[in-house]
Every structure is written in structure tokens, then in C-alpha cells.
Amino acid sequence: MSPFLDAKADPVILRKQSFIYSQNSRLKQKMEKHVADIYKFLDPFRNHDDCHLHPQPPHLDGRSTRKIYRNFYWTDDSGTHKLGVNAGLILLIMEHYLTDAQKAGYINQSWQLSHLCGNWTCCNWRHLTVESGPINVSRNACFRSPGVCRHSPPCMKDKKRQLLVTHVTCRTIRDAIVSLQYYLCIEDYLDFLNSGASAFKEQIWENGKLGWCGLCGSLNRSPHICWPVNCLEKCKQMLQILQFSAQLVPEVGPAIEYLSKIKEDLKKSRVVGNLAAPVDT
């Protein structure tokens, strides 16, 4: 049951309370659909303990918004409401994983969704919690430190990784790869192939000839995340391909710059991912 609030309370507080405790069936259906839409993007064979990283998180003007959220609209006895809600909060609500204290903190004290794994695109509700802003922010320093975590619940420091590849980056790389078909003859390209990377490079060539995304073969013409770039070895191979053609296509220059940054991030992620887990004292 919703706790009593004065009718003169802050309208935002009233909307949050209505959202958390609403029995509106249409609102519940919208929340269920939002969760189902997120799960469509995730690996169906994902491990429950691992991060479930959203492959196409929202971006604004080429920069990550650093949160996955949507606006909800619903009507109850007090009127019509609109509220922007973090997807992680929806996941916790649907899993019945919010405590009364967390609900009250979110409604009355602007508590925030927090990723215990430190990865803002993670959609694994087991890696999420709701806590005060200062505690949430303090986790950033904890992830950067090799020391023992003192938070409760503790940070999942072994899960922290670099989050890579914005939509704009993938679009630039994709444009460069697809453009290669107009400048490289197949004989020159095949001469460049080596046994260790031949299958990958042939895949890019074939996709590019058809006008598809060279990286993943997607027919989607809009910018999108290409999973192969998230592998350090594939990233190095992609750089070799672009550098081989650097003087041929105008798009290649910025693509090499973007991809070089991604390669460095991938190298860092290996270090971050190997941080020693907190030791019990």
C-alpha cells in the first residue's frame, strides 16, 4: 500500500509515489513491454552472474547519455502523469527487488539507481541497487582503487570494464569499410589476407560488396553497435585493414583514429577486469 502523502507535496514526489505503488494495469503492461524490449537485445544464453550489457544503449548527439531510460505516461485518481524512469529501476520493480527503504528514498530523497558492477549499460538486475546520490558517486573512486571495497552492498570490482563503441564511432568505421569496395580490386585485397585473419577479412569484404555493414553484416542502415569490435584481436585486424587503405578513402582517417582509441580502451579493460577482488578482513 502506498504511504500517505499530503496533497500539497511536491508534484515530482507525488508522481514517483504514484509510479512505484500504482495498480494501473496499463502502466504495468508498459513496464513489462519495456523489460521485454531490453531482453530482446541480450544474449539468450547469458550467465546470471555476468553483466548483461545492452548492445545499443541510447546516445544523444554522438555522446552516451550514460543511462537507459524511457518516459512513462499513466492516469490515476489524481490525474495524468509523466515520469522519466531509469530502465534499471523498472527491472528492480518487476523483480520485486526494491525494499521499502529504497522506495521511500527514491520517492522522497531522490535516491538513484546504482550499478554495483560499475557498467552503466548493464541490465542484470542482480547488479543493481537504489541508493543515495553521494554513495552512488563514491563508488566511482572505489572502482579506480585496488583497495578493499567498504560499500554495502559491495562494489563488484571484478565486473568493471571499459564500455566502448558509440553509435557515431561504429557509423564512421562502417562507412570506411563499405567504401573500400569502390577502391580495392579483389586481387590486391586477397594478397593482403593472411592465414590468421583471412576469414574475418573475407567477411568484411563480402559484406562491403553487398552494401551491408562490413563488421557484422547487418542490413540496418542506421548507426548500430557491432559486436566484433569489442574483441581486442578483431580490433587489431580491423586497424590493419583500414591502415592498408588509408590513402584511398576519406572516411578511413577518422575511422583509424576512433578504432585506435577503442583498441586502447580494450587493453585497459583487460587491466580493469583483472583487478583483485576485495579480500575479506
PDB file of all heavy atoms in Angstrom, residues 168-169 171-180 182-183 242 245-259:
ATOM      1  N   VAL A 168      28.215   6.698 -33.112  1.00  0.00           N
ATOM      2  CA  VAL A 168      28.937   7.517 -34.076  1.00  0.00           C
ATOM      3  C   VAL A 168      30.231   6.840 -34.498  1.00  0.00           C
ATOM      4  O   VAL A 168      30.607   6.835 -35.673  1.00  0.00           O
ATOM      5  CB  VAL A 168      29.228   8.912 -33.496  1.00  0.00           C
ATOM      6  CG1 VAL A 168      30.136   9.707 -34.427  1.00  0.00           C
ATOM      7  CG2 VAL A 168      27.926   9.667 -33.274  1.00  0.00           C
ATOM      8  N   THR A 169      30.939   6.249 -33.547  1.00  0.00           N
ATOM      9  CA  THR A 169      32.176   5.540 -33.860  1.00  0.00           C
ATOM     10  C   THR A 169      31.908   4.403 -34.832  1.00  0.00           C
ATOM     11  O   THR A 169      32.604   4.239 -35.836  1.00  0.00           O
ATOM     12  CB  THR A 169      32.815   4.984 -32.576  1.00  0.00           C
ATOM     13  OG1 THR A 169      33.133   6.066 -31.716  1.00  0.00           O
ATOM     14  CG2 THR A 169      34.083   4.212 -32.894  1.00  0.00           C
ATOM     15  N   ARG A 171      29.427   4.043 -36.867  1.00  0.00           N
ATOM     16  CA  ARG A 171      28.998   4.544 -38.164  1.00  0.00           C
ATOM     17  C   ARG A 171      30.200   4.961 -38.998  1.00  0.00           C
ATOM     18  O   ARG A 171      30.277   4.675 -40.194  1.00  0.00           O
ATOM     19  CB  ARG A 171      28.052   5.741 -37.985  1.00  0.00           C
ATOM     20  CG  ARG A 171      27.568   6.330 -39.312  1.00  0.00           C
ATOM     21  CD  ARG A 171      26.563   7.434 -39.059  1.00  0.00           C
ATOM     22  NE  ARG A 171      27.161   8.503 -38.280  1.00  0.00           N
ATOM     23  CZ  ARG A 171      26.466   9.480 -37.692  1.00  0.00           C
ATOM     24  NH1 ARG A 171      25.155   9.476 -37.765  1.00  0.00           N
ATOM     25  NH2 ARG A 171      27.078  10.418 -37.015  1.00  0.00           N
ATOM     26  N   THR A 172      31.159   5.633 -38.373  1.00  0.00           N
ATOM     27  CA  THR A 172      32.340   6.087 -39.097  1.00  0.00           C
ATOM     28  C   THR A 172      33.154   4.908 -39.605  1.00  0.00           C
ATOM     29  O   THR A 172      33.609   4.889 -40.752  1.00  0.00           O
ATOM     30  CB  THR A 172      33.217   6.966 -38.186  1.00  0.00           C
ATOM     31  OG1 THR A 172      32.431   8.040 -37.686  1.00  0.00           O
ATOM     32  CG2 THR A 172      34.400   7.539 -38.938  1.00  0.00           C
ATOM     33  N   ILE A 173      33.349   3.905 -38.754  1.00  0.00           N
ATOM     34  CA  ILE A 173      34.095   2.714 -39.162  1.00  0.00           C
ATOM     35  C   ILE A 173      33.340   1.977 -40.267  1.00  0.00           C
ATOM     36  O   ILE A 173      33.920   1.549 -41.260  1.00  0.00           O
ATOM     37  CB  ILE A 173      34.336   1.791 -37.966  1.00  0.00           C
ATOM     38  CG1 ILE A 173      35.208   2.500 -36.920  1.00  0.00           C
ATOM     39  CG2 ILE A 173      34.995   0.492 -38.397  1.00  0.00           C
ATOM     40  CD1 ILE A 173      35.365   1.737 -35.635  1.00  0.00           C
ATOM     41  N   ARG A 174      32.053   1.850 -40.116  1.00  0.00           N
ATOM     42  CA  ARG A 174      31.246   1.155 -41.120  1.00  0.00           C
ATOM     43  C   ARG A 174      31.346   1.854 -42.471  1.00  0.00           C
ATOM     44  O   ARG A 174      31.524   1.215 -43.509  1.00  0.00           O
ATOM     45  CB  ARG A 174      29.785   1.116 -40.673  1.00  0.00           C
ATOM     46  CG  ARG A 174      28.859   0.403 -41.661  1.00  0.00           C
ATOM     47  CD  ARG A 174      27.409   0.788 -41.434  1.00  0.00           C
ATOM     48  NE  ARG A 174      27.219   2.208 -41.667  1.00  0.00           N
ATOM     49  CZ  ARG A 174      26.101   2.862 -41.357  1.00  0.00           C
ATOM     50  NH1 ARG A 174      25.121   2.228 -40.772  1.00  0.00           N
ATOM     51  NH2 ARG A 174      25.984   4.145 -41.605  1.00  0.00           N
ATOM     52  N   ASP A 175      31.245   3.195 -42.483  1.00  0.00           N
ATOM     53  CA  ASP A 175      31.323   3.933 -43.742  1.00  0.00           C
ATOM     54  C   ASP A 175      32.656   3.691 -44.435  1.00  0.00           C
ATOM     55  O   ASP A 175      32.734   3.568 -45.657  1.00  0.00           O
ATOM     56  CB  ASP A 175      31.129   5.430 -43.493  1.00  0.00           C
ATOM     57  CG  ASP A 175      29.706   5.763 -43.079  1.00  0.00           C
ATOM     58  OD1 ASP A 175      28.826   4.908 -43.273  1.00  0.00           O
ATOM     59  OD2 ASP A 175      29.489   6.869 -42.561  1.00  0.00           O
ATOM     60  N   ALA A 176      33.728   3.639 -43.647  1.00  0.00           N
ATOM     61  CA  ALA A 176      35.044   3.412 -44.229  1.00  0.00           C
ATOM     62  C   ALA A 176      35.142   2.019 -44.834  1.00  0.00           C
ATOM     63  O   ALA A 176      35.649   1.840 -45.948  1.00  0.00           O
ATOM     64  CB  ALA A 176      36.119   3.597 -43.165  1.00  0.00           C
ATOM     65  N   ILE A 177      34.639   1.016 -44.119  1.00  0.00           N
ATOM     66  CA  ILE A 177      34.721  -0.357 -44.605  1.00  0.00           C
ATOM     67  C   ILE A 177      33.906  -0.539 -45.881  1.00  0.00           C
ATOM     68  O   ILE A 177      34.370  -1.095 -46.874  1.00  0.00           O
ATOM     69  CB  ILE A 177      34.226  -1.344 -43.526  1.00  0.00           C
ATOM     70  CG1 ILE A 177      35.160  -1.321 -42.318  1.00  0.00           C
ATOM     71  CG2 ILE A 177      34.115  -2.754 -44.092  1.00  0.00           C
ATOM     72  CD1 ILE A 177      36.556  -1.810 -42.624  1.00  0.00           C
ATOM     73  N   VAL A 178      32.670  -0.040 -45.878  1.00  0.00           N
ATOM     74  CA  VAL A 178      31.808  -0.207 -47.047  1.00  0.00           C
ATOM     75  C   VAL A 178      32.397   0.522 -48.245  1.00  0.00           C
ATOM     76  O   VAL A 178      32.291   0.076 -49.385  1.00  0.00           O
ATOM     77  CB  VAL A 178      30.382   0.295 -46.738  1.00  0.00           C
ATOM     78  CG1 VAL A 178      29.529   0.312 -47.991  1.00  0.00           C
ATOM     79  CG2 VAL A 178      29.730  -0.589 -45.679  1.00  0.00           C
ATOM     80  N   SER A 179      33.060   1.657 -48.009  1.00  0.00           N
ATOM     81  CA  SER A 179      33.637   2.428 -49.101  1.00  0.00           C
ATOM     82  C   SER A 179      34.796   1.715 -49.773  1.00  0.00           C
ATOM     83  O   SER A 179      35.142   2.023 -50.918  1.00  0.00           O
ATOM     84  CB  SER A 179      34.122   3.790 -48.586  1.00  0.00           C
ATOM     85  OG  SER A 179      33.050   4.554 -48.096  1.00  0.00           O
ATOM     86  N   LEU A 180      35.428   0.784 -49.102  1.00  0.00           N
ATOM     87  CA  LEU A 180      36.590   0.119 -49.665  1.00  0.00           C
ATOM     88  C   LEU A 180      36.261  -0.621 -50.953  1.00  0.00           C
ATOM     89  O   LEU A 180      37.128  -0.807 -51.816  1.00  0.00           O
ATOM     90  CB  LEU A 180      37.192  -0.872 -48.656  1.00  0.00           C
ATOM     91  CG  LEU A 180      37.777  -0.269 -47.382  1.00  0.00           C
ATOM     92  CD1 LEU A 180      38.346  -1.363 -46.500  1.00  0.00           C
ATOM     93  CD2 LEU A 180      38.857   0.755 -47.703  1.00  0.00           C
ATOM     94  N   TYR A 182      34.859   0.273 -53.500  1.00  0.00           N
ATOM     95  CA  TYR A 182      34.987   1.078 -54.708  1.00  0.00           C
ATOM     96  C   TYR A 182      36.445   1.347 -55.072  1.00  0.00           C
ATOM     97  O   TYR A 182      36.726   1.871 -56.147  1.00  0.00           O
ATOM     98  CB  TYR A 182      34.262   2.409 -54.519  1.00  0.00           C
ATOM     99  CG  TYR A 182      32.793   2.243 -54.221  1.00  0.00           C
ATOM    100  CD1 TYR A 182      32.285   2.536 -52.962  1.00  0.00           C
ATOM    101  CD2 TYR A 182      31.911   1.754 -55.186  1.00  0.00           C
ATOM    102  CE1 TYR A 182      30.937   2.385 -52.686  1.00  0.00           C
ATOM    103  CE2 TYR A 182      30.565   1.592 -54.910  1.00  0.00           C
ATOM    104  CZ  TYR A 182      30.081   1.904 -53.654  1.00  0.00           C
ATOM    105  OH  TYR A 182      28.758   1.738 -53.375  1.00  0.00           O
ATOM    106  N   TYR A 183      37.374   1.010 -54.172  1.00  0.00           N
ATOM    107  CA  TYR A 183      38.762   1.396 -54.391  1.00  0.00           C
ATOM    108  C   TYR A 183      39.728   0.221 -54.436  1.00  0.00           C
ATOM    109  O   TYR A 183      40.825   0.353 -54.961  1.00  0.00           O
ATOM    110  CB  TYR A 183      39.221   2.356 -53.282  1.00  0.00           C
ATOM    111  CG  TYR A 183      38.500   3.672 -53.338  1.00  0.00           C
ATOM    112  CD1 TYR A 183      37.337   3.861 -52.610  1.00  0.00           C
ATOM    113  CD2 TYR A 183      38.968   4.717 -54.126  1.00  0.00           C
ATOM    114  CE1 TYR A 183      36.655   5.072 -52.657  1.00  0.00           C
ATOM    115  CE2 TYR A 183      38.295   5.927 -54.177  1.00  0.00           C
ATOM    116  CZ  TYR A 183      37.138   6.107 -53.446  1.00  0.00           C
ATOM    117  OH  TYR A 183      36.471   7.293 -53.489  1.00  0.00           O
ATOM    118  N   LEU A 242      42.132  -1.047 -42.319  1.00  0.00           N
ATOM    119  CA  LEU A 242      41.964   0.379 -42.590  1.00  0.00           C
ATOM    120  C   LEU A 242      43.292   1.041 -42.933  1.00  0.00           C
ATOM    121  O   LEU A 242      43.367   1.890 -43.826  1.00  0.00           O
ATOM    122  CB  LEU A 242      41.321   1.066 -41.381  1.00  0.00           C
ATOM    123  CG  LEU A 242      39.890   0.637 -41.050  1.00  0.00           C
ATOM    124  CD1 LEU A 242      39.375   1.405 -39.850  1.00  0.00           C
ATOM    125  CD2 LEU A 242      38.973   0.855 -42.239  1.00  0.00           C
ATOM    126  N   SER A 245      44.447   0.748 -46.412  1.00  0.00           N
ATOM    127  CA  SER A 245      43.725   1.547 -47.394  1.00  0.00           C
ATOM    128  C   SER A 245      43.661   3.021 -47.020  1.00  0.00           C
ATOM    129  O   SER A 245      42.816   3.756 -47.519  1.00  0.00           O
ATOM    130  CB  SER A 245      42.292   1.015 -47.533  1.00  0.00           C
ATOM    131  OG  SER A 245      42.295  -0.375 -47.657  1.00  0.00           O
ATOM    132  N   ALA A 246      44.546   3.460 -46.144  1.00  0.00           N
ATOM    133  CA  ALA A 246      44.435   4.791 -45.553  1.00  0.00           C
ATOM    134  C   ALA A 246      44.432   5.919 -46.572  1.00  0.00           C
ATOM    135  O   ALA A 246      43.842   6.970 -46.338  1.00  0.00           O
ATOM    136  CB  ALA A 246      45.568   5.012 -44.552  1.00  0.00           C
ATOM    137  N   GLN A 247      45.105   5.741 -47.717  1.00  0.00           N
ATOM    138  CA  GLN A 247      45.198   6.816 -48.693  1.00  0.00           C
ATOM    139  C   GLN A 247      44.066   6.785 -49.724  1.00  0.00           C
ATOM    140  O   GLN A 247      44.030   7.622 -50.622  1.00  0.00           O
ATOM    141  CB  GLN A 247      46.553   6.728 -49.419  1.00  0.00           C
ATOM    142  CG  GLN A 247      47.756   6.738 -48.498  1.00  0.00           C
ATOM    143  CD  GLN A 247      47.801   7.972 -47.612  1.00  0.00           C
ATOM    144  OE1 GLN A 247      47.548   9.081 -48.080  1.00  0.00           O
ATOM    145  NE2 GLN A 247      48.102   7.777 -46.331  1.00  0.00           N
ATOM    146  N   LEU A 248      43.162   5.818 -49.574  1.00  0.00           N
ATOM    147  CA  LEU A 248      42.185   5.598 -50.627  1.00  0.00           C
ATOM    148  C   LEU A 248      40.813   6.189 -50.345  1.00  0.00           C
ATOM    149  O   LEU A 248      40.122   6.599 -51.263  1.00  0.00           O
ATOM    150  CB  LEU A 248      42.039   4.096 -50.888  1.00  0.00           C
ATOM    151  CG  LEU A 248      43.324   3.361 -51.299  1.00  0.00           C
ATOM    152  CD1 LEU A 248      43.053   1.885 -51.488  1.00  0.00           C
ATOM    153  CD2 LEU A 248      43.889   3.962 -52.582  1.00  0.00           C
ATOM    154  N   VAL A 249      40.399   6.195 -49.114  1.00  0.00           N
ATOM    155  CA  VAL A 249      39.034   6.582 -48.789  1.00  0.00           C
ATOM    156  C   VAL A 249      39.045   7.693 -47.741  1.00  0.00           C
ATOM    157  O   VAL A 249      39.701   7.561 -46.709  1.00  0.00           O
ATOM    158  CB  VAL A 249      38.243   5.371 -48.240  1.00  0.00           C
ATOM    159  CG1 VAL A 249      36.776   5.720 -48.058  1.00  0.00           C
ATOM    160  CG2 VAL A 249      38.394   4.177 -49.161  1.00  0.00           C
ATOM    161  N   PRO A 250      38.333   8.793 -47.957  1.00  0.00           N
ATOM    162  CA  PRO A 250      38.351   9.903 -46.999  1.00  0.00           C
ATOM    163  C   PRO A 250      37.903   9.495 -45.596  1.00  0.00           C
ATOM    164  O   PRO A 250      38.407  10.007 -44.604  1.00  0.00           O
ATOM    165  CB  PRO A 250      37.367  10.907 -47.613  1.00  0.00           C
ATOM    166  CG  PRO A 250      37.340  10.579 -49.063  1.00  0.00           C
ATOM    167  CD  PRO A 250      37.539   9.105 -49.155  1.00  0.00           C
ATOM    168  N   GLU A 251      36.954   8.550 -45.509  1.00  0.00           N
ATOM    169  CA  GLU A 251      36.430   8.175 -44.189  1.00  0.00           C
ATOM    170  C   GLU A 251      37.423   7.385 -43.359  1.00  0.00           C
ATOM    171  O   GLU A 251      37.238   7.228 -42.141  1.00  0.00           O
ATOM    172  CB  GLU A 251      35.154   7.333 -44.352  1.00  0.00           C
ATOM    173  CG  GLU A 251      33.983   8.056 -44.987  1.00  0.00           C
ATOM    174  CD  GLU A 251      33.976   7.892 -46.494  1.00  0.00           C
ATOM    175  OE1 GLU A 251      35.016   7.503 -47.069  1.00  0.00           O
ATOM    176  OE2 GLU A 251      32.919   8.145 -47.090  1.00  0.00           O
ATOM    177  N   VAL A 252      38.454   6.848 -43.996  1.00  0.00           N
ATOM    178  CA  VAL A 252      39.348   5.950 -43.284  1.00  0.00           C
ATOM    179  C   VAL A 252      40.124   6.664 -42.187  1.00  0.00           C
ATOM    180  O   VAL A 252      40.350   6.108 -41.116  1.00  0.00           O
ATOM    181  CB  VAL A 252      40.323   5.270 -44.276  1.00  0.00           C
ATOM    182  CG1 VAL A 252      41.473   4.599 -43.534  1.00  0.00           C
ATOM    183  CG2 VAL A 252      39.572   4.236 -45.086  1.00  0.00           C
ATOM    184  N   GLY A 253      40.535   7.910 -42.426  1.00  0.00           N
ATOM    185  CA  GLY A 253      41.326   8.641 -41.434  1.00  0.00           C
ATOM    186  C   GLY A 253      40.661   8.700 -40.070  1.00  0.00           C
ATOM    187  O   GLY A 253      41.215   8.227 -39.070  1.00  0.00           O
ATOM    188  N   PRO A 254      39.444   9.255 -39.974  1.00  0.00           N
ATOM    189  CA  PRO A 254      38.770   9.292 -38.669  1.00  0.00           C
ATOM    190  C   PRO A 254      38.443   7.909 -38.132  1.00  0.00           C
ATOM    191  O   PRO A 254      38.425   7.691 -36.920  1.00  0.00           O
ATOM    192  CB  PRO A 254      37.496  10.101 -38.932  1.00  0.00           C
ATOM    193  CG  PRO A 254      37.319  10.100 -40.415  1.00  0.00           C
ATOM    194  CD  PRO A 254      38.689   9.998 -40.997  1.00  0.00           C
ATOM    195  N   ALA A 255      38.185   6.955 -39.038  1.00  0.00           N
ATOM    196  CA  ALA A 255      37.892   5.597 -38.575  1.00  0.00           C
ATOM    197  C   ALA A 255      39.099   5.002 -37.863  1.00  0.00           C
ATOM    198  O   ALA A 255      38.962   4.346 -36.828  1.00  0.00           O
ATOM    199  CB  ALA A 255      37.484   4.714 -39.752  1.00  0.00           C
ATOM    200  N   ILE A 256      40.295   5.225 -38.412  1.00  0.00           N
ATOM    201  CA  ILE A 256      41.510   4.733 -37.762  1.00  0.00           C
ATOM    202  C   ILE A 256      41.687   5.391 -36.409  1.00  0.00           C
ATOM    203  O   ILE A 256      42.048   4.745 -35.420  1.00  0.00           O
ATOM    204  CB  ILE A 256      42.740   4.992 -38.662  1.00  0.00           C
ATOM    205  CG1 ILE A 256      42.701   4.074 -39.885  1.00  0.00           C
ATOM    206  CG2 ILE A 256      44.036   4.777 -37.888  1.00  0.00           C
ATOM    207  CD1 ILE A 256      43.811   4.318 -40.877  1.00  0.00           C
ATOM    208  N   GLU A 257      41.402   6.683 -36.331  1.00  0.00           N
ATOM    209  CA  GLU A 257      41.547   7.403 -35.058  1.00  0.00           C
ATOM    210  C   GLU A 257      40.600   6.839 -34.008  1.00  0.00           C
ATOM    211  O   GLU A 257      40.989   6.579 -32.862  1.00  0.00           O
ATOM    212  CB  GLU A 257      41.267   8.890 -35.279  1.00  0.00           C
ATOM    213  CG  GLU A 257      41.407   9.738 -34.020  1.00  0.00           C
ATOM    214  CD  GLU A 257      41.110  11.203 -34.283  1.00  0.00           C
ATOM    215  OE1 GLU A 257      40.933  11.569 -35.462  1.00  0.00           O
ATOM    216  OE2 GLU A 257      41.042  11.968 -33.306  1.00  0.00           O
ATOM    217  N   TYR A 258      39.336   6.640 -34.394  1.00  0.00           N
ATOM    218  CA  TYR A 258      38.363   6.083 -33.465  1.00  0.00           C
ATOM    219  C   TYR A 258      38.768   4.679 -33.024  1.00  0.00           C
ATOM    220  O   TYR A 258      38.716   4.331 -31.841  1.00  0.00           O
ATOM    221  CB  TYR A 258      36.972   6.012 -34.121  1.00  0.00           C
ATOM    222  CG  TYR A 258      36.229   7.312 -34.166  1.00  0.00           C
ATOM    223  CD1 TYR A 258      35.667   7.774 -35.357  1.00  0.00           C
ATOM    224  CD2 TYR A 258      36.058   8.094 -33.027  1.00  0.00           C
ATOM    225  CE1 TYR A 258      34.966   8.963 -35.414  1.00  0.00           C
ATOM    226  CE2 TYR A 258      35.364   9.281 -33.079  1.00  0.00           C
ATOM    227  CZ  TYR A 258      34.809   9.717 -34.269  1.00  0.00           C
ATOM    228  OH  TYR A 258      34.120  10.887 -34.320  1.00  0.00           O
ATOM    229  N   LEU A 259      39.152   3.863 -33.995  1.00  0.00           N
ATOM    230  CA  LEU A 259      39.456   2.470 -33.699  1.00  0.00           C
ATOM    231  C   LEU A 259      40.703   2.352 -32.828  1.00  0.00           C
ATOM    232  O   LEU A 259      40.804   1.451 -31.994  1.00  0.00           O
ATOM    233  CB  LEU A 259      39.638   1.692 -35.001  1.00  0.00           C
ATOM    234  CG  LEU A 259      39.419   0.178 -34.944  1.00  0.00           C
ATOM    235  CD1 LEU A 259      38.046  -0.144 -34.379  1.00  0.00           C
ATOM    236  CD2 LEU A 259      39.549  -0.428 -36.329  1.00  0.00           C
TER     237      LEU A 259
END
